[in-house]
């Protein structure tokens, strides 16, 4: 599988990423408040952004909490559990930073070369730093169907430039 790498410091794109970051911070703050109020020591998150579970030092009350992943989630079958779930849903689950790439139709789920273990799927991936107002996109290229983003927003770079920036800065 071949990849191309693009760099951007476009204000509109960065504004979209900041909007997602602000929603993530608001969501995390809400869940942290809930975590403290219920006596949990930490919480885990799915890659989709939702809460996977809360972790406690000791097993919490079984009438309020049910086992989930490596921890516990509140039950819907009682008042206390419902109250916690209402608090959790008070703030919407933020989207992934990669969803900002949808604005420019970056390819999703490109099939790679078949291997003995199956066919790998590749997605456009985003990385960068808010402090430097610079982000990079790793884009899978299909044979005969190379993707080209808007060049006024994204500049093609070499992989080593991206890696050097992420390591050094």
């Amino acid at each position: 599988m071949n990849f191309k790498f693009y760099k951007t410091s476009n204000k509109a794109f960065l504004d979209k990423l900041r909007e997602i970051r602000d929603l993530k911070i608001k969501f995390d703050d809400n869940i942290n408040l809930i975590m403290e109020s219920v006596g949990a020591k930490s919480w885990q998150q799915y890659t989709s952004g939702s809460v996977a579970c809360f972790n406690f030092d000791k097993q919490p009350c079984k009438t309020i909490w049910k086992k989930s992943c490596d921890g516990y989630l509140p039950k819907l079958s009682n008042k206390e559990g419902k109250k916690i779930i209402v608090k959790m849903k008070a703030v919407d689950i933020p989207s992934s930073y990669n969803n900002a790439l949808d604005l420019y139709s970056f390819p999703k789920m490109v099939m790679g070369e078949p291997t003995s273990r199956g066919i790998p799927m590749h997605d456009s991936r985003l990385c960068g730093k808010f402090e430097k107002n610079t982000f990079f996109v790793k884009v899978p290229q299909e044979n005969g169907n190379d993707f080209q983003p808007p060049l006024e927003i994204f500049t093609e770079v070499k992989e080593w430039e991206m890696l050097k920036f992420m390591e050094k800065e």
Side-chain angles (χ1 to χ4, degrees):
M1 173 63 57
N2 294 321
F3 295 93
K4 285 191 177 179
F5 300 86
Y6 297 95
K7 177 181 177 179
T8 186
S9 294
N10 179 271
K11 182 180 177 350
F13 185 72
L14 292 173
D15 287 346
K16 179 64 177 170
L17 292 177
R18 283 187 189 93
E19 179 184 317
I20 293 171
R21 181 181 62 177
D22 291 344
L23 293 172
K24 285 183 176 295
I25 290 169
K26 188 176 177 182
F27 178 81
D28 289 354
D29 289 346
N30 182 51
I31 299 301
N32 285 332
L33 285 173
I34 294 168
M35 178 189 76
E36 291 172 10
S37 71
V38 299
K41 66 175 182 174
S42 64
W43 62 282
Q44 296 175 24
Q45 193 170 22
Y46 288 119
T47 54
S48 65
S50 61
V51 176
C53 65
F54 289 95
N55 303 107
F56 294 86
D57 286 329
K58 296 179 182 176
Q59 183 176 346
C61 178
K62 287 184 177 183
T63 58
I64 299 173
W65 298 91
K66 64 181 176 185
K67 188 81 173 137
S68 176
C69 297
D70 294 331
Y72 299 88
L73 282 176
K75 290 182 179 181
L76 277 170
S77 60
N78 65 58
K79 286 183 180 180
E80 289 301 314
K82 285 181 187 175
K83 285 180 187 176
I84 297 168
I85 290 172
V86 166
K87 289 179 186 176
M88 289 170 62
K89 291 185 177 184
V91 177
D92 291 334
I93 298 169
S95 62
S96 167
Y97 289 117
N98 282 327
N99 287 358
L101 298 175
D102 293 346
L103 298 171
Y104 305 100
S105 303
F106 278 90
K108 288 190 173 200
M109 295 303 144
V110 175
M111 295 176 85
E113 296 295 322
T115 67
S116 60
R117 301 182 100 183
I119 300 174
M121 301 294 286
H122 302 278
D123 196 1
S124 297
R125 287 279 150 215
L126 180 69
C127 69
K129 299 187 179 191
F130 284 103
E131 306 82 45
K132 299 290 182 182
N133 291 325
T134 304
F135 282 83
F136 296 88
V137 185
K138 179 181 178 181
V139 183
Q141 301 292 304
E142 291 182 287
N143 292 337
N145 190 16
D146 291 349
F147 173 77
Q148 199 66 322
L151 296 178
E152 64 276 3
I153 298 173
F154 298 92
T155 306
E156 188 170 353
V157 295
K158 300 292 183 193
E159 181 179 18
W160 67 264
E161 294 175 85
M162 177 191 73
L163 295 172
K164 182 179 178 183
F165 176 86
M166 293 304 292
E167 183 179 307
K168 191 174 184 178
E169 300 293 331

